[in-house]
Amino acid sequence: MAEKTLLRALAGEVVPTPPIWMMRQAGRYLPEYRATRAQAGDFLSLCYTPDLAAEVTLQPIRRYGFDAAILFADILLVPQALGADLWFVTGEGPRLSTVTTEDDLGRLKGPEDIHDHLAPVYETVRILARELPAETALIGFAGAPWTVATYMIAGRGTPDQGPAHALMRENPALFDALMDRIEAATIDYLSHQVEAGAETVKIFDSWAGSLTGAAFDRYALEPARRITAALKKRHPGLPVIAFPRGAGMRYEGAHAATGADCIALDDGVTPEWAAEHVQVAGCVQGNLASSHMVTGGQALIDETRRIVRAFSKGPHIFNLGHGITPDADPANVQLMIDTVRETVTA
Ligand code: CP3
């Protein structure tokens, strides 16, 4: 049996004090992150400089003693490795060259040709596997094909993923070919992270919620299932976390549909509903609203306790429902951690 609490929860064990980590735990709300990012020059240089990427990954571990570290990188490094141009506009977010024609797709590289570009990420994982405290688990990650495709098709983040939905409708063959390319690259990318020392991997499908009806099954659940199955075949026993954000009631059945060991919950479902309908099938992670890290106070304490109690009878990893935001107060993160640990002993 694994000793690290995160791995125990992923294996289905009810750990007395749930392991804690946060999405975007290395980020702009931390002054030490902002300092290292300034040293790197820009966000992408930070991602591709292993010593600095490892440093920012370790910062929240040192400050808070989280039970898991998540590799510092970005889901958009995969499109870049496939040959897309990628840059970040300060204050606005990512920009990419778009894939909307067969010619655009034809210019992309094959999944086997991404690894030279991504070698610094694997090096970051190796450094972390060496330097993390013995009790801290290391999480690798990638974007899910649908979420990555929404950025590759639109060339930027979009409120409703309209351009990706339009391509799916107007040129389904091209859309499917792009999805397949991303899926194959993702399997290989995550597999390399595991070989470098990642102990579990998380598949971020941030825009799964905008898929409706059969498209949710076909483009969110099924790619996650194929990625999970391929990884478990290459790495027997590897625990996988899937995050179909915005799934709502479709979170029910997601363990079985994806084969993932853990389903990450956003803040759109109540913990009581999720305990009854999702956690019955396996480990869950989440679902505190990240706005509490900005506002703090009694509401943070009450909601944290509610989540810990609602999920106390099954395997649970304490986390936010989405990434912590730059305007969060680092003191509220400590309050959340203290509340989780006190609720358990109370
Ligand atoms: O969680 C972690 O601490 C690990 C690192 C991580 C980052 N991005 C670093 C990052 C992870 C897991 C991601 C995932 C990611 N990236 C997702 C999926 C999860 C989610 O949040 O829905 C998505 C959609 C992206 C794409 C992306 N990267 C966007 C839209 C942006 C800009 C928005 C923003 O917050 O500025 C990024 C930039 C980004 N990725 C930052 C960080 C710390 C902020 C960049 C900076 O420091 O300037």
Side-chain angles (χ1 to χ4, degrees), residues 251-282:
Y251 269 123
E252 184 166 2
H255 286 93
T258 61
D261 302 271
C262 177
I263 295 294
L265 304 165
D266 57 59
D267 56 24
V269 291
T270 67
E272 295 80 15
W273 178 86
E276 194 181 329
H277 294 271
V278 191
Q279 196 189 27
V280 284

Side-chain angles (χ1 to χ4, degrees), residues 280-311:
V280 284
C283 185
V284 293
Q285 173 182 277
N287 70 334
L288 184 68
S290 45
S291 56
H292 288 297
M293 297 302 107
V294 182
T295 52
Q298 192 60 40
L300 183 166
I301 294 171
D302 291 346
E303 285 300 312
T304 299
R305 286 183 178 155
R306 176 181 171 188
I307 289 168
V308 171
R309 289 189 179 130
F311 291 128

